[in-house]
Amino acid sequence: MPHRRCHQRAAYAQVWHRAVGWYWGGVDFQLTLRVDGEARSLTVDTRTTLLDTLRDRLSVTSPKKGCDHGQCGACTVLLDGRRVLSCLTLAVAHDGAEVTTAGGLASADGELHPLQRAFLDHDGFQCGYCTPGQICSAAGMLAEAAAGHPSAVTAAADDGPDSQGGPDGTVALSDDEIRERMSGNLCRCGAYVNIVAAIREVSAK
Amino acid sequence: MIPFDYAPASDPDSAVAAVTARPGAAYLGGGTNLVDHMKLGVATPDLLVDVTRLPLDRIEELPDGGLRIGATVRNSDLAAHPAVRRRHAVLSQALLAGASGQLRNSATTAGNLLQRTRCGYFQDVTTPCNKREPGTGCAAVGGWNRHHAVLGASEHCLAVHPSDMAVAMSVLDAVVTVLGEDGERRVPLGEFHRLPGDSPEQDTVLAHGELVTSVELPPLPAGARSGYLKVRDRASFAFALVSAGAVLAVEDGRVRESRIAFGGLAHKPWRATYAEEALRGAAATDEAFREAADAELRHAQPLPGNAFKIPMTRNTLAALLRELATEVRS
Amino acid sequence: MSRTDDGGSAHATQPSEPLKPLDIRSVGTSPQRLDGPGKVTGTARYAWEHPLAAPLYVHPLQAAVARGRVVVMDTGQAEALDGVLAVLTPYNAPRLADTGDAELAVLQSEEVAFRGQFIGAVVAETAEVARHAAQLVAVEYEQLPHDTELSTGRSDLYRPEVVNPTYPTDTEDGDAEAAFAAAPVTVDVTYSTPMEHNNPMEPHTCVAVWEVPEAPGSQPRLTLYDSTQGAHQVRKTLAPLFELPPESVRVVSPHVGGGFGSKGMPHAHDVLAVMAAKVSGGRPAKLALTRQQMFSLAGHRTPTVQRLRLGADSSGRLTALCHDVIEQTSRIKEFAEQTGVASRMMYAAENRSTSHRLAALDIPVPSWMRAPGEAPGMFAAEAAMDELALACGIDPVELRVRNEPGTDPESGRPWSGRHLVQCLRTGAERFGWDRRTGPGTRREGDWLIGMGVASSTYPAYAFPGSVAEIERRADGGGGPGGYAVRIGAADLGTGTWTALTQIAADALDCPLGEVHLEIGDTDLPSGTVAGGSSGINSWGSTVVAAARAFREEHGAAPAPGARTRASMPSDPALRNYAAHSFGAQFAEVRVHTGTGEVRVPRMLGVFSTGRIINPRTARSQFIGGMVMGMSMALFEESVFDHGTGHVVNHDFAQYHVPTCADVLDIDAVWLDEPDLHANPMGAKGIGEIGIVGSPAAVVNAVHNATGIRVRDLPVTPDKLLRS
């Protein structure tokens, strides 16, 4: 840990009752995250995003920094099971959270997740930099569809929750559904055709 | 990003007290817009009061068929809610037309309403911007203003409000509940956002420290349908060039009631009252829909860089109303 | 598909023999990417991600004026911030030994040559502190008027000595002016393409470690973990700036998150990172450009204004082809894009002229972006051909067939292989080209539908300078354990890890699994830059030569430790041929009548690029190029504000590239015909050709759908709206 001139551990929920001064060196918080199944405790600057916490503090470099402003999806992780952008997520706001990266989707003995195998088989990437984000996003997206969450494609095609989807409330994923739901993950190499093929294969199983 | 303190709020009143007491304090919701702006230096809060754990995350169905939406309900959950999809399709459609799956999972109802313009100059602290830094000028005037306002702009600011959701809430006649130090007040959505005038730094009528706690939607008129259409430069994950939201009730081929709002045209979701007026009792025809659009767009003052928005809006509104009228008839 | 002789038959008369062809077994098959498991789990290490102890973080300071001079930099507040190690400025930055390359002469003077240029940097214990400190540096400038606007009317347009890399600036064959004046059918049109940015997903990153051994008089050592398309090129460029012998500099770059040309040469951030490392006491200095900074500091594609004059007889045979280009460069460093060169060899027009003129402006330094030259040049030329087809009343496929040259019009040499006609015919049949109707005649509901075609071409470059080493490895028990194959090549998504392993396996005549490829490190023998679709041609030829030399020296059963090096062989026979790749691109578009929105439901590329090493990864690369071409046609434009002097839309929310929802049915196929004149593999490189022609195919399809000819890219909805 770098040395700091001012070092503050604030007690949750009481902090605003005190006059909080100006801390040039940042304001530090202690927190614990469960990352890819492993509890990790550390002190972070309030300014540190979940992405930088993972990459620079915990050496979990699976989520990538492509834009740092929520515009590319390369930093996508599953946060308490939902896909989010770790670059716009402040670590300090997620003490105790469960974080899954593409690295954690593979099993501990190295066996790849079905999405990872499908991305390999369909060549759903080239440079690979957006890929962990694509795969986390796909995992989150499949869960959303299974839970019956609509997309713009679902919403345009029909009219409310009663008239569509499978009998169990899930949304069947056409290619158009997959494309729309994956549009938050940019791929500059242009691997989309193969990304869709990979996800289609997994979603059909 | 300047250093800031962080405090999770335990109840709405103390959150309001904490932010009100400190001029540099701000509420943290999903963070998708605020954290972005803090990195850019556009927002420089010195205290973030995290409201995401407050009990404001419920969607309640009201006895009259309306809905009360908690301020911290995530956009994706709101869009997926059965009652929203069934009764307020325009809202679900608008939410799903915005941002990406990941962003919708984080972004909150209140945060979406309060999001700030995506004007490229506003987001770049090395350029003049009256909204970011009053008195410095507007770089979009004479600069790149393809995405900027054609209605209600001022010489001080050409910015447009970026929200799709707010356009839907506008046609749903939503009412925003706001908690301040002096208690609660209710602000109709049409009065919630401001036009820029000579103080474009103020996006809304909220005072510092006021906290949005919920948004209420009255029930739709009987027989009315609602929908949203958005036009953008690419097929997904882009802000609107123009968009239109509408509620339409047609009876015997005539418009009984219409509510229309535009996105991408103004500093706020633009409720098209002239268009609504023009449609009252009119035949539900494509011609009438176009004339209604023109009744509103007649008041537009486009710039050379964004004059395309006029025909694009007219055609988009006509297409939306045709679709809703067809659905009603069928 | 069988090989046909549609133009290349003259090669039989040439005396020289090509290099001995490679016997293929693994080449031509489709193993999954060998680097794939690391990439789908995110464990493959990109430049930022190498585990290094106690790093420091660098946040650059950038000029906020487009031209002028820094007169005051108040760094006091920043330096006082806890955790700040240093604030570099023009006043205190290390001096460079060579400032000849003004792009790399970072912090060597107070002059500001473009907005966004580096004027300093903060080095700090954390990224948060570095960013905050950077905001606290107060800068005063003496601002001078700037000039950033390219236009045809400028009086200071000049003729560069050559265009990239070494093509003649202008050419004149026959009398193009006279032939154009005399032609019964003419097209005289001006196209423009905007400034564009490469925008690889991985921002340009350099982590620098400057270590000074304690022994007196010993040489400092510099290690760079760099996101680059050419590790050796980075070393060769940077070592002299810092007065280091090349062997004291190591550049490590095993995985690169895309580049598309922008990582083909070191940029200013590499220099800045090294400077930061020099003041970091041996600790690693980490610098990754932000997405916004990439719009000023990592190169861009020049905007172009291109006048095309085509003259033809009534049957569509070209008699005159004039392609005159105006484009921009930075005032501090020239980059002259070769936009018109493809028009010199593409069609059998007897009279041809091409020219390039530049405006030197107060703008960031332009550079390579995927198919520099061909991508914008063939957009204009192939859209003009579409206009000529209409003017002549001839089908656009047929027009191209009628102008097929038997030999290279520019050099007179035979083609090493030119199968453009076959690509066009094959594509037309597969795409259903016969269903195409006249402009503006096909409509489904609110959507107008159209089809377009364009030709593609790209030179089969191979660059000398690569060296490969083969070594028989020992296994754990001392017995033989496969072969190490070492070459300083790069994989930026190009499939190098896999394709080069396949070539090595065949060259060594061993199973794929016995080859242990090592690339992306200057500790390996020299590799040329991954650029100009030259990678596999250059490195593959070198690996084949090394493998052959290895077998010659060590036989079929070499002992562990047996080792051989070889350089890229020169191939005098190739000089007798014009070696290029070709292709035909087809696009179908839908244009919404009410909004002008364009959708691209189908694209097909048919390519003739010699032998395909790995069909699985090759198809991806073709399709990826086509997606970028579609993006160039419809989305991409760096909007330059000439008042402020910067790119306003400098992020992914405003600079649009396609999303998943924009890419529907896009496919690529190829003619299976090795070009054994090109190299032992018979390959010609495939990285660029997908983006060549695809923009014109889309724009031609938009015309076919709507009857609207858009001559300035990108074709955004507003340009197709009729009120």
Side-chain angles (χ1 to χ4, degrees):
Chain A
M1 263 310 289
H3 164 78
R4 292 185 190 289
R5 189 169 31 173
C6 300
H7 193 87
Q8 185 194 2
R9 298 261 164 83
Y12 280 4
Q14 274 104 48
V15 68
W16 65 76
H17 296 303
R18 288 188 264 127
V20 179
W22 192 256
Y23 296 97
W24 289 116
V27 182
D28 287 352
F29 269 77
Q30 178 82 35
L31 60 90
T32 300
L33 298 169
R34 204 170 165 78
V35 180
D36 292 335
E38 194 185 331
R40 309 285 297 267
S41 294
L42 75 165
T43 303
V44 297
D45 187 318
T46 50
R47 293 172 290 184
T48 310
T49 61
L50 178 59
L51 177 62
D52 287 347
T53 302
L54 293 167
R55 284 171 68 79
D56 293 337
R57 301 295 311 285
L58 300 176
S59 299
V60 177
T61 54
S62 177
K64 306 302 184 198
K65 185 179 284 190
C67 74
D68 212 22
H69 289 274
Q71 301 162 352
C72 80
C75 66
T76 304
V77 298
L78 300 173
L79 179 65
D80 295 324
R82 287 160 70 113
R83 55 174 172 161
V84 301
L85 300 177
S86 60
C87 77
L88 294 180
T89 303
L90 293 173
V92 71
H94 295 278
D95 187 25
E98 176 95 36
V99 180
T100 304
T101 73
L105 285 175
S107 71
D109 62 3
E111 196 189 329
L112 297 178
H113 184 278
L115 278 166
Q116 292 169 323
R117 288 202 300 273
F119 268 64
L120 283 174
D121 190 34
H122 290 276
D123 207 39
F125 60 98
Q126 291 175 51
C127 81
Y129 198 75
C130 73
T131 312
Q134 299 275 2
I135 287 173
C136 279
S137 186
M141 180 276 277
L142 291 175
E144 289 161 13
H149 276 213
S151 76
V153 169
T154 333
D158 44 33
D159 190 29
D162 310 322
S163 61
Q164 40 107 68
D168 50 356
T170 63
V171 177
L173 289 178
S174 64
D175 283 1
D176 281 347
E177 283 278 10
I178 294 172
R179 290 186 192 108
E180 165 57 27
R181 289 164 188 264
M182 290 300 293
S183 278
N185 292 82
L186 301 182
C187 168
R188 185 58 161 159
C189 297
Y192 297 123
V193 169
N194 296 344
I195 289 170
V196 171
I199 296 171
R200 180 198 303 134
E201 180 186 301
V202 175
S203 79
K205 278 176 184 166
Chain B
M1 209 187 293
I2 66 164
F4 60 86
D5 216 324
Y6 167 83
S10 52
D11 65 276
D13 287 324
S14 54
V16 169
V19 172
T20 306
R22 193 145 136 183
Y27 296 110
L28 175 67
T32 54
N33 196 208
L34 180 60
V35 176
D36 177 12
H37 283 165
M38 288 164 67
K39 291 182 188 186
L40 293 169
V42 171
T44 54
D46 59 24
L47 166 66
L48 288 188
V49 174
D50 184 346
V51 295
T52 56
R53 294 175 200 201
L54 294 179
L56 303 173
D57 59 346
R58 288 193 305 272
I59 301 172
E60 299 163 67
E61 301 191 33
L62 303 175
D64 64 357
L67 281 183
R68 183 182 296 125
I69 303 158
T72 64
V73 172
R74 308 290 170 163
N75 287 178
S76 52
D77 296 328
L78 182 56
H81 195 276
V84 174
R85 293 169 70 187
R86 197 176 297 119
R87 297 185 212 155
H88 304 282
V90 60
L91 179 57
S92 184
Q93 289 171 14
L95 283 160
L96 295 170
S100 69
Q102 293 96 310
L103 286 164
R104 292 191 295 267
N105 276 344
S106 293
T108 62
T109 309
N112 191 321
L113 279 181
L114 293 168
Q115 67 180 305
R116 309 206 68 191
T117 184
R118 260 55 181 198
C119 171
Y121 300 103
F122 172 72
Q123 296 182 102
D124 182 343
V125 297
T126 68
T127 63
C129 172
N130 288 324
K131 179 180 279 297
R132 178 170 27 78
E133 215 177 327
T136 55
C138 173
V141 174
W144 185 48
N145 48 39
R146 177 170 180 265
H147 293 267
H148 289 66
V150 298
L151 283 161
S154 78
E155 59 183 312
H156 305 289
C157 183
L158 303 178
V160 296
H161 197 263
S163 173
D164 295 295
M165 183 196 80
V167 175
M169 287 185 169
S170 174
V171 295
L172 292 172
D173 281 343
V175 177
V176 183
T177 305
V178 175
L179 182 66
E181 279 208 304
D182 302 329
E184 226 173 54
R185 64 179 178 126
R186 291 163 58 82
V187 184
L189 193 98
E191 297 164 23
F192 186 81
H193 297 97
R194 295 180 67 259
L195 288 178
D198 57 8
S199 51
E201 71 279 8
Q202 295 172 38
D203 291 352
T204 69
V205 298
L206 292 189
H208 175 71
E210 282 193 305
L211 175 70
V212 172
T213 54
S214 69
V215 177
E216 279 181 31
L217 307 180
L220 237 56
R225 305 296 295 265
S226 71
Y228 189 73
L229 268 187
K230 177 176 179 178
V231 183
R232 43 192 157 178
D233 276 324
R234 62 183 177 191
S236 187
F237 198 20
F239 291 98
L241 291 169
V242 309
S243 71
V247 171
L248 185 71
V250 175
E251 216 168 71
D252 302 329
R254 297 210 162 260
V255 175
R256 194 185 72 221
E257 181 169 355
S258 74
R259 296 188 219 145
I260 296 164
F262 296 129
L265 298 192
H267 196 256
K268 57 187 283 189
W270 189 267
R271 186 70 182 263
T273 50
Y274 292 108
E276 292 173 9
E277 183 68 26
L279 275 182
R280 191 157 301 137
T285 62
D286 187 55
E287 197 187 350
F289 298 151
R290 287 174 179 281
E291 278 170 14
D294 285 336
E296 193 68 37
L297 296 168
R298 195 167 297 137
H299 304 276
Q301 291 181 301
L303 303 155
N306 64 16
F308 69 89
K309 289 188 174 186
I310 304 300
M312 188 179 275
T313 304
R314 178 194 304 122
N315 295 343
T316 301
L317 177 64
L320 172 63
L321 294 177
R322 273 202 311 270
E323 194 181 302
L324 293 175
T326 310
E327 282 180 14
V328 170
R329 274 196 286 273
S330 68
Chain C
M1 240 162 276
S2 65
R3 179 171 180 172
T4 59
D5 278 325
D6 49 20
S9 56
H11 59 68
T13 63
Q14 296 298 317
S16 306
E17 286 298 310
L19 294 172
K20 180 172 165 271
L22 177 68
D23 290 329
I24 63 163
R25 204 175 46 229
S26 178
V27 166
T29 67
S30 287
Q32 293 179 354
R33 283 176 202 262
L34 300 175
D35 51 330
K39 289 185 171 173
V40 298
T41 54
T43 51
R45 293 204 188 278
Y46 297 84
W48 184 269
E49 301 167 356
H50 297 267
L52 299 171
L56 294 164
Y57 297 82
V58 185
H59 198 93
L61 304 167
Q62 294 174 272
V65 301
R67 187 165 157 251
R69 184 177 294 113
V70 172
V71 289
V72 178
M73 280 182 84
D74 181 356
T75 57
Q77 261 196 307
E79 282 164 340
L81 204 59
D82 195 24
V84 171
L85 230 84
V87 181
L88 295 173
T89 68
Y91 308 106
N92 67 6
R95 295 297 100 185
L96 297 173
D98 179 355
T99 56
D101 182 337
E103 182 189 1
L104 301 181
V106 175
L107 308 186
Q108 299 302 291
S109 85
E110 302 96 324
E111 303 293 320
V112 174
F114 59 89
R115 189 178 176 122
Q117 191 175 20
F118 288 143
I119 54 168
V122 176
V123 186
E125 293 284 353
T126 70
E128 292 78 19
V129 170
R131 185 201 290 261
H132 178 210
Q135 291 170 347
L136 297 176
V137 177
V139 185
E140 282 176 36
Y141 304 89
E142 179 196 340
Q143 190 168 0
L144 297 170
H146 61 263
D147 177 5
T148 58
E149 192 159 10
L150 176 66
S151 70
T152 52
R154 294 185 68 102
S155 59
D156 59 348
L157 296 171
Y158 75 97
R159 181 181 183 281
E161 278 188 26
V162 293
V163 293
N164 177 61
T166 54
Y167 289 105
T169 303
D170 299 347
T171 57
E172 180 79 50
D173 294 277
D175 188 342
E177 293 286 342
F180 180 75
V185 184
T186 59
V187 166
D188 182 352
V189 284
T190 300
Y191 290 86
S192 64
T193 62
M195 184 189 215
E196 295 162 354
H197 280 82
N198 311 55
N199 271 314
M201 291 309 298
E202 181 202 19
H204 296 66
T205 302
C206 184
V207 179
V209 193
W210 184 283
E211 292 161 298
V212 182
E214 284 182 15
S218 59
Q219 191 67 244
R221 253 202 87 73
L222 174 64
T223 308
L224 299 179
Y225 302 88
D226 196 36
S227 185
T228 176
Q229 296 171 225
H232 286 84
Q233 182 65 35
V234 171
R235 175 166 83 171
K236 190 174 148 194
T237 309
L238 295 187
L241 268 52
F242 292 94
E243 293 181 278
L244 295 172
E247 56 275 15
S248 295
V249 179
R250 182 182 175 199
V251 180
V252 181
S253 187
H255 301 290
V256 182
F260 314 109
S262 68
K263 296 172 182 171
M265 58 183 87
H267 292 295
H269 70 282
D270 291 287
V271 178
L272 192 62
V274 177
M275 287 179 169
K278 279 191 85 168
V279 302
S280 294
R283 294 171 66 183
K286 302 183 84 165
L287 193 169
L289 293 183
T290 64
R291 181 60 53 184
Q292 291 85 346
Q293 288 164 352
M294 287 167 66
F295 284 78
S296 311
L297 293 156
H300 65 266
R301 194 198 295 284
T302 174
T304 69
V305 182
Q306 305 178 53
R307 183 178 181 198
L308 266 294
R309 284 174 295 162
L310 308 181
D313 64 22
S314 56
S315 68
R317 286 195 175 77
L318 284 165
T319 54
L321 196 171
C322 311
H323 192 164
D324 299 298
V325 182
I326 290 168
E327 51 201 22
Q328 73 187 23
T329 187
S330 164
R331 209 184 288 285
I332 58 167
K333 181 178 177 179
E334 182 181 282
F335 176 79
E337 185 149 339
Q338 70 275 36
T339 305
V341 296
S343 289
R344 298 171 183 172
M345 49 64 67
M346 197 60 206
Y347 295 115
E350 205 163 301
N351 304 285
R352 286 166 287 115
S353 70
T354 63
S355 70
H356 298 82
R357 295 293 178 271
L358 295 186
L361 303 172
D362 303 313
I363 52 159
V365 183
S367 184
W368 300 322
M369 178 165 166
R370 203 172 198 171
E374 281 78 4
M378 285 288 281
F379 156 66
E382 288 296 304
M385 284 294 278
D386 204 60
E387 301 207 47
L388 180 65
L390 275 162
C392 294
I394 297 172
D395 180 88
V397 169
E398 188 57 32
L399 177 72
R400 289 168 173 85
V401 172
R402 284 187 194 177
N403 286 289
E404 176 71 3
T407 55
D408 176 11
E410 189 178 17
S411 67
R413 289 181 297 204
W415 304 106
S416 70
R418 170 160 171 149
H419 306 284
L420 174 61
V421 170
Q422 197 181 341
C423 291
L424 287 162
R425 297 264 192 243
T426 303
E429 190 186 326
R430 282 177 167 245
F431 200 67
W433 183 250
D434 57 351
R435 294 200 300 273
R436 180 174 178 268
T437 60
T441 57
R442 209 175 137 200
R443 184 170 178 148
E444 284 177 16
D446 291 332
W447 296 87
L448 295 164
I449 300 165
M451 287 189 210
V453 67
S455 301
S456 303
T457 189
Y458 199 76
Y461 290 118
F463 298 124
S466 288
V467 176
E469 178 179 273
I470 314 280
E471 183 180 344
R472 182 64 164 171
R473 284 159 43 118
D475 71 8
Y483 301 88
V485 176
R486 305 186 177 111
I487 181 168
D491 191 330
L492 44 147
T494 42
T496 309
W497 278 107
T498 315
L500 211 49
T501 301
Q502 291 177 261
I503 291 168
D506 287 357
L508 287 163
D509 193 20
C510 73
L512 191 70
E514 286 192 15
V515 174
H516 303 272
L517 182 70
E518 298 171 35
I519 63 171
D521 193 328
T522 52
D523 277 0
L524 304 168
S526 183
T528 50
V529 173
S533 298
S534 70
I536 218 68
N537 303 341
S538 309
W539 310 322
S541 299
T542 308
V543 165
V544 169
R548 286 173 177 170
F550 178 87
R551 286 293 183 221
E552 205 157 289
E553 197 177 329
H554 302 292
R563 189 194 304 193
T564 299
R565 280 190 179 207
S567 306
M568 175 160 130
S570 70
D571 181 2
L574 183 56
R575 291 193 204 116
N576 299 322
Y577 295 93
H580 300 258
S581 289
F582 293 92
Q585 306 249 13
F586 293 81
E588 181 175 295
V589 306
R590 299 162 70 86
V591 180
H592 195 277
T593 53
T595 64
E597 290 165 290
V598 181
R599 300 285 182 263
V600 184
R602 289 197 302 143
M603 286 178 83
L604 173 68
V606 182
F607 298 101
S608 165
T609 59
R611 175 173 277 139
I612 293 303
I613 309 296
N614 181 324
R616 184 195 309 261
T617 60
R619 178 173 171 269
S620 295
Q621 216 174 351
F622 284 131
I623 291 176
M626 293 166 70
V627 168
M628 205 180 270
M630 181 263 269
S631 179
M632 179 177 169
L634 300 180
F635 303 136
E636 291 186 43
E637 177 177 17
S638 305
V639 179
F640 206 91
D641 182 323
H642 298 291
T644 57
H646 82 306
V647 175
V648 185
N649 60 338
H650 56 188
D651 61 34
F652 269 143
Q654 300 176 89
Y655 184 97
H656 283 160
V657 301
T659 68
C660 197
D662 293 291
V663 176
L664 305 174
D665 176 8
I666 298 190
D667 205 359
V669 296
W670 48 88
L671 310 183
D672 192 13
E673 31 80 33
D675 186 339
L676 293 171
H677 296 292
N679 51 50
M681 297 83 67
K684 290 200 278 200
I686 59 172
E688 332 283 326
I689 195 166
I691 197 179
V692 181
S694 42
V698 170
V699 172
N700 293 343
V702 167
H703 178 269
N704 182 242
T706 62
I708 300 173
R709 176 67 64 182
V710 179
R711 298 196 182 92
D712 53 329
L713 294 187
V715 186
T716 45
D718 45 298
K719 296 178 185 172
L720 297 172
L721 257 188
R722 282 177 289 203
S723 50

